[in-house]
Amino acid sequence: MNPEIEYQLIQSHARELRQAAATHRRVREAQKSGETERRHRSVFGKLRKS
């Protein structure tokens, strides 16, 4: 294979991996903050019902 094309393919693949990692990181952070918020809301909901 042409070395220039191979280099471009490797660069493209690396870019895709970085984007996927960033997306995964954002999803994980959103899940963590969502769990915390849910926990707090359930506590406030229990207090409000009593």
Side-chain angles (χ1 to χ4, degrees), residues 14-39:
R15 186 172 32 254
E16 290 172 359
L17 289 174
R18 283 193 298 272
Q19 288 174 347
T23 302
H24 182 71
R25 200 175 314 115
R26 284 191 296 270
V27 168
R28 294 290 299 195
E29 289 172 358
Q31 286 175 340
K32 283 182 182 178
S33 67
E35 290 171 4
T36 303
E37 289 174 11
R38 262 186 263 125
R39 200 175 313 131

Side-chain angles (χ1 to χ4, degrees), residues 33-49:
S33 67
E35 290 171 4
T36 303
E37 289 174 11
R38 262 186 263 125
R39 200 175 313 131
H40 288 279
R41 271 187 266 143
S42 64
V43 169
F44 293 130
K46 288 177 185 176
L47 292 174
R48 191 173 42 184
K49 287 181 180 178

